[in-house]
Amino acid sequence: MNVRIEKACFDKLIKANLLPQAELEKLYEESMRAKNSFSEQLIQLGLIKESVILKIYSEVLNIPYIEKKRIAVDDGTLKKVPIKFAWYYKFFPISLEGRKLTIAVSRLIDVNTLDEIRLGLGFDISLAFIPSQDIQELLKKHYGLGAETVDKILSQRAIGKEYVNPSADVSSEEVEDLEKLAESASVVQLVNQIILEAVKKRASDIHIEPSRGKVRFRYRIDGVLHEAPVPQDIIRFLPTILSRIKIMANLNIVEKRLPQDGKARVRTQNQSIDLRISSIPTSQGESMVIRILPNQMVYDLANLGLEEAYLKKFKQLLQRNEGIVFLTGPTGSGKSTTLYAGIQQISKTERKIITIEDPVEYEMGDITQIQVVPDVGLTFAKGLRSMLRHDPDVMMVGEVRDLETADIAIRAALTGHLILSTLHTNDAASGVTRLLDIGVEPYLIASSVIAFMAQRLVRVICPACKTEVEQLPDEIHEMIERDLAMTDENPIKAFYGRGCDQCFETGYQGRIAIHEMLEIDQDIKQLIYQKATAEQIKAFAMTKGMKTLRQDGWQKVLAGQTTADEVLRATSAVPDIIPMPFKMTSAQKVKIETPDQGFHNKRKYERLMINFPITYRIVDDQGQKTDSKEKLSHPYGRGVTENISAGGISFLTRDPIKAGSILELKLEMPDQLDPIQCLGRTLRVMKVLDWVGDAGGYRYKLAVLFLAINSVDRTRIENFCELTIG
């Protein structure tokens, strides 16, 4: 301990008034009596940052303090300093000028240690101060992850032969050697370093990918893969590393020709981590992926990114006693996490909850969880049947993949169970067509499913380096204005992350979900009965206020949570049809129709002049805000048709209906068959004088385009018109 330096450090801290003087004096006296380092004690207790102490050292000793981002190292300097030397003495070589080597240290170095470094390297030594954490990061970045361990193994001559292809056949003697090496302290330490580094960087997966003459290690952080720097010599120990991981997962280290899957549990940083391990054979050897799963799931619905209205609605759905809630999205979109958070929300003593998953990703207390095992015949369908005999209130099915699983889940929902499950679709409305594709009848979907919720994950801007965007690109500005129907009076502010140590220079830290919720109400049920397309269902749901994934993403951009690039990466464009309550141009109004474009200018179908009664109900009156109860209880209006075709109708009514309104129609056709029910959009409204009655008055002539009509009913109208005209 250098008393002069410690006294100078004490005096400067007193002068800076960073801590109470009495506390500093007490710590200083204790350190002097115990002959401990006063400054190191302050750092260990967390009272002063290490950088503050090092800057004081810099002033007192006239040794420069350097920021990590200002350090630029050339390969020539690194080659002159072995990693084992730098790691042992805990320094990082910065520059070499002639015979003078500048090294970065995080502590005071005594004369004896400095002489050892000078003698060992053969250079004159110049010092600079930098925090210890920065030294570790620089060593990993420039020498490679686990470089000191690899160097130790090489120096011990633990493996004396060059790298061989891990997929090649090996003798029993080589297998025995691999087993011994895989259990050696150095290899165990190397594998632990790889896993620990992934945990520190918040990685969800570790990818080990061999290629010709080298191996690549990558970490998936916030959904994006980042390459981890590793020493070149690590390729020589790839078979040993893979064998060690296989031993941890209780896999067969001899089998290299077939895929293998396993799991392991490790403890690091005072937490238990579950690992899911998968290996596949490639032309250059075995490739392995390690999925890192926290042993305890701590997600809360309120922190998943659900906007307030969706959060309230989702909680209401979870309180239902029956029905199915489907989460949709591609692999890795966070569906399972949302389901787990939902289950955690409703997990109570009085409710029995059973899940069947492939695999069980998170272990949850007080929840019965079943792992699918296809090899012994335990499939989703078979597990579901058994679950029904265990008197559950809520069941979670990892994924509905086939008709058998869907049929059992639907029938369970119809008999008084709440089912939570997932589907692989691009958006919420596509969940309907996905179920239709696997063979589920429309009436079963309409009567059992209560909601589809699509989800994607976008990265969150790092709060430490968050910066406002000075000039948002015009095309992004226009997209946000168009998709959210904003005006020039609403200024658009966006942010991005510059990149810092906390986010590993990515500009992002963590992820948040964006959502699209399709609730199955009576109107959507009618579309399902008629086997409407996903586009038709989505367009109609948007007229009722459903936000798309991209619209929800733009809201999070405006809230400063994510960036426009992330939203564009994770979502598809909002449909050209801009539904109510957004502003719609006359050109866009026609785009929703199928199959003909343009009701009165281009006619694909014959039009028949005929009068017969029609009843209707206003589903959405061009975005005007009306009380939902009032809309549902609105009496059916009546009218008389003037003409009809398979593309639409024209009729007279006394109700002042607005152009663009969505109508639920019931056509009482003169062919003596059952009435036809469908949806239509009002294209034109004409006010006409009506002299019928004592006082006279006005009626309204409406031209209505069929939006969603059963193909059988459309053919029926077409045939009726042709026969009557003929």
Side-chain angles (χ1 to χ4, degrees):
M1 180 179 68
N2 190 316
V3 177
R4 182 179 69 85
I5 300 298
E6 296 298 333
K7 181 63 169 65
C9 183
F10 170 74
D11 292 338
K12 285 188 173 292
L13 288 174
I14 292 290
K15 187 176 180 180
N17 199 27
L18 296 175
L19 286 173
Q21 183 172 341
E23 185 175 357
L24 283 173
E25 289 175 349
K26 180 181 178 182
L27 288 172
Y28 182 72
E29 290 174 3
E30 289 177 355
S31 65
M32 291 299 104
R33 286 197 299 269
K35 295 185 179 181
N36 291 331
S37 171
F38 168 65
S39 54
E40 288 181 5
Q41 192 174 355
L42 288 173
I43 296 171
Q44 291 173 1
L45 293 173
L47 299 175
I48 296 292
K49 288 185 177 180
E50 186 181 22
S51 58
V52 175
I53 298 295
L54 292 179
K55 287 175 182 177
I56 293 175
Y57 287 170
S58 175
E59 292 179 24
V60 174
L61 299 172
N62 198 26
I63 294 175
Y65 175 88
I66 303 178
E67 300 283 346
K68 184 181 73 171
K69 60 185 178 182
R70 293 175 53 196
I71 294 177
V73 186
D74 62 275
D75 292 338
T77 302
L78 296 176
K79 289 178 181 177
K80 297 291 184 180
V81 182
I83 176 60
K84 61 182 178 183
F85 209 82
W87 192 268
Y88 179 80
Y89 288 104
K90 294 181 174 57
F91 70 84
F92 181 78
I94 297 177
S95 63
L96 179 62
E97 298 177 1
R99 304 301 302 171
K100 184 178 181 181
L101 176 68
T102 302
I103 63 173
V105 295
S106 62
R107 69 194 191 285
L108 295 173
I109 296 183
D110 58 55
V111 175
N112 292 333
T113 303
L114 202 58
D115 285 341
E116 289 176 10
I117 297 174
R118 186 182 295 111
L119 183 62
L121 297 177
F123 297 111
D124 293 330
I125 302 299
S126 175
L127 300 178
F129 287 122
I130 187 173
S132 57
Q133 182 64 35
D134 290 347
I135 289 178
Q136 290 186 25
E137 290 295 327
L138 287 168
L139 289 172
K140 290 175 186 175
K141 179 180 179 181
H142 293 281
Y143 284 99
L145 176 63
E148 77 287 355
T149 306
V150 171
D151 190 76
K152 184 193 300 183
I153 299 173
L154 286 171
S155 64
Q156 293 171 351
R157 300 184 180 274
I159 190 166
K161 50 193 169 187
E162 293 299 318
Y163 165 76
V164 293
N165 191 322
S167 64
D169 292 334
V170 291
S171 66
S172 59
E173 182 180 346
E174 288 174 325
V175 169
E176 187 176 346
D177 289 343
L178 275 177
E179 288 178 339
K180 290 179 180 178
L181 287 170
E183 293 290 0
S184 68
S186 297
V187 173
V188 169
Q189 181 184 2
L190 180 58
V191 172
N192 289 346
Q193 283 178 310
I194 293 169
I195 296 173
L196 179 60
E197 185 70 10
V199 174
K200 285 181 178 178
K201 291 185 177 293
R202 301 177 290 103
S204 59
D205 301 87
I206 304 170
H207 292 245
I208 305 174
E209 303 162 323
S211 58
R212 188 174 297 277
K214 65 177 183 178
V215 61
R216 179 165 66 168
F217 285 72
R218 293 195 290 174
Y219 294 147
R220 187 176 294 279
I221 303 171
D222 295 332
V224 178
L225 284 171
H226 298 269
E227 189 154 355
V230 292
Q232 292 182 352
D233 286 332
I234 202 170
I235 185 67
R236 299 174 62 181
F237 306 102
L238 181 58
T240 314
I241 292 170
L242 297 180
S243 296
R244 170 59 191 166
I245 297 171
K246 284 183 177 181
I247 289 171
M248 292 168 59
N250 197 27
L251 298 178
N252 185 354
I253 69 168
V254 178
E255 183 57 72
K256 304 174 186 297
R257 299 166 299 175
L258 294 174
Q260 293 191 75
D261 295 293
K263 58 184 180 180
R265 178 173 292 180
V266 297
R267 187 166 185 82
T268 179
Q269 291 187 333
N270 297 322
Q271 63 174 325
S272 184
I273 304 292
D274 283 336
L275 306 177
R276 268 191 11 229
I277 296 157
S278 176
S279 71
I280 57 173
T282 72
S283 60
Q284 298 300 322
E286 283 185 286
S287 178
M288 185 173 286
V289 174
I290 305 171
R291 170 67 61 86
I292 301 173
L293 298 169
N295 185 243
Q296 294 195 358
M297 204 274 293
V298 293
Y299 292 106
D300 184 3
L301 275 179
N303 299 326
L304 294 183
L306 280 160
E307 68 151 17
E308 188 175 348
Y310 278 175
L311 178 61
K312 182 179 179 182
K313 178 57 65 178
F314 191 49
K315 287 182 177 180
Q316 290 174 351
L317 293 173
L318 293 173
Q319 296 302 322
R320 295 277 292 268
N321 293 322
E322 73 289 317
I324 306 179
V325 178
F326 280 111
L327 262 72
T328 73
T331 301
S333 59
K335 302 185 298 296
S336 297
T337 300
T338 301
L339 286 181
Y340 278 113
I343 287 176
Q344 190 165 283
Q345 175 82 23
I346 61 175
S347 179
K348 299 177 181 177
T349 305
E350 61 269 19
R351 300 187 86 174
K352 171 81 169 183
I353 302 175
I354 307 178
T355 74
I356 181 165
E357 308 165 59
D358 183 22
V360 174
E361 294 194 11
Y362 302 104
E363 292 184 7
M364 300 183 69
D366 303 324
I367 304 295
T368 303
Q369 296 176 274
I370 302 172
Q371 167 75 53
V372 169
V373 188
D375 293 344
V376 298
L378 180 53
T379 61
F380 278 114
K382 189 170 183 179
L384 260 175
R385 290 194 188 94
S386 300
M387 287 162 63
L388 288 170
R389 293 191 287 270
H390 277 253
D391 188 31
D393 297 296
V394 181
M395 294 187 289
M396 186 186 102
V397 183
E399 182 187 350
V400 170
R401 301 174 179 173
D402 50 50
L403 178 59
E404 185 180 13
T405 305
D407 184 64
I408 299 170
I410 286 171
R411 297 187 187 283
L414 293 174
T415 54
H417 300 86
L418 177 64
I419 311 293
L420 306 176
S421 190
T422 68
L423 285 171
H424 284 168
T425 65
N426 291 327
D427 57 18
S430 297
V432 176
T433 53
R434 171 65 179 148
L435 292 175
L436 290 172
D437 287 343
I438 64 178
V440 181
E441 292 294 332
Y443 74 91
L444 288 175
I445 300 173
S447 57
S448 62
V449 181
I450 54 179
F452 292 94
M453 187 165 77
Q455 178 170 310
R456 294 289 190 283
L457 293 177
V458 293
R459 290 183 289 176
V460 176
I461 299 171
C462 174
C465 59
K466 183 176 178 180
T467 308
E468 185 174 349
V469 177
E470 293 182 4
Q471 182 64 44
L472 197 65
D474 291 341
E475 57 184 18
I476 302 294
H477 197 284
E478 291 171 5
M479 276 193 283
I480 295 175
E481 278 192 341
R482 183 186 69 241
D483 293 346
L484 297 182
M486 298 178 67
T487 63
D488 292 337
E489 293 129 16
N490 304 116
I492 294 178
K493 285 187 177 182
F495 299 84
Y496 75 102
R498 295 191 312 273
C500 64
D501 291 341
Q502 291 190 27
C503 61
F504 309 110
E505 305 299 332
T506 63
Y508 299 98
Q509 191 171 23
R511 288 189 289 177
I512 197 170
I514 55 177
H515 300 91
E516 173 182 296
M517 184 179 288
L518 174 66
E519 192 175 3
I520 308 301
D521 57 15
Q522 291 301 319
D523 298 321
I524 301 298
K525 285 182 180 180
Q526 290 297 321
L527 293 176
I528 295 173
Y529 287 140
Q530 297 164 12
K531 294 187 177 181
T533 65
E535 291 77 13
Q536 290 172 328
I537 294 173
K538 184 171 186 174
F540 176 68
M542 289 172 67
T543 66
K544 302 187 72 174
M546 183 189 82
K547 287 197 304 185
T548 65
L549 287 165
R550 179 162 289 188
Q551 288 167 342
D552 192 30
W554 290 143
Q555 294 284 7
K556 288 178 171 57
V557 169
L558 298 182
Q561 294 176 292
T562 189
T563 63
D565 289 341
E566 279 295 290
V567 173
L568 292 174
R569 178 186 62 82
T571 66
S572 57
V574 174
D576 287 340
I577 310 151
I578 308 299
M580 276 57 97
F582 306 111
K583 185 177 181 181
M584 179 184 287
T585 66
S586 58
Q588 290 168 327
K589 290 179 184 177
V590 189
K591 291 186 180 179
I592 195 171
E593 72 187 77
T594 55
D596 57 324
Q597 299 287 337
F599 177 66
H600 60 289
N601 293 327
K602 296 180 181 179
R603 287 200 171 83
K604 180 178 177 180
Y605 304 105
E606 289 284 350
R607 181 173 63 172
L608 173 65
M609 308 300 292
I610 190 172
N611 303 119
F612 62 83
I614 178 174
T615 58
Y616 60 86
R617 183 169 68 93
I618 301 174
V619 177
D620 190 290
D621 51 349
Q622 206 186 8
Q624 300 299 315
K625 294 183 179 179
T626 57
D627 185 82
S628 59
K629 294 182 179 178
E630 178 186 337
K631 285 169 64 178
L632 291 174
S633 61
H634 190 286
Y636 277 84
R638 297 192 65 84
V640 177
T641 63
E642 281 196 326
N643 58 66
I644 186 172
S645 76
I649 60 170
S650 175
F651 69 91
L652 290 166
T653 179
R654 292 192 180 279
D655 292 331
I657 298 173
K658 299 178 180 66
S661 299
I662 305 296
L663 305 178
E664 181 185 290
L665 304 169
K666 184 177 181 181
L667 312 179
E668 300 174 17
M669 296 280 291
D671 55 7
Q672 306 301 315
L673 298 176
D674 292 338
I676 292 175
Q677 293 186 336
C678 64
L679 293 175
R681 181 190 294 279
T682 306
L683 293 182
R684 301 189 312 279
V685 180
M686 184 183 298
K687 191 175 183 181
V688 295
L689 192 61
D690 181 16
W691 293 103
V692 178
D694 296 334
Y698 290 96
R699 286 200 294 176
Y700 298 88
K701 182 187 293 186
L702 279 64
V704 177
L705 179 75
F706 293 146
L707 289 183
I709 183 170
N710 191 297
S711 59
V712 175
D713 290 336
R714 192 187 292 276
T715 303
R716 174 182 159 191
I717 295 174
E718 185 177 13
N719 292 338
F720 175 78
C721 292
E722 289 177 356
L723 289 172
T724 306
I725 293 173

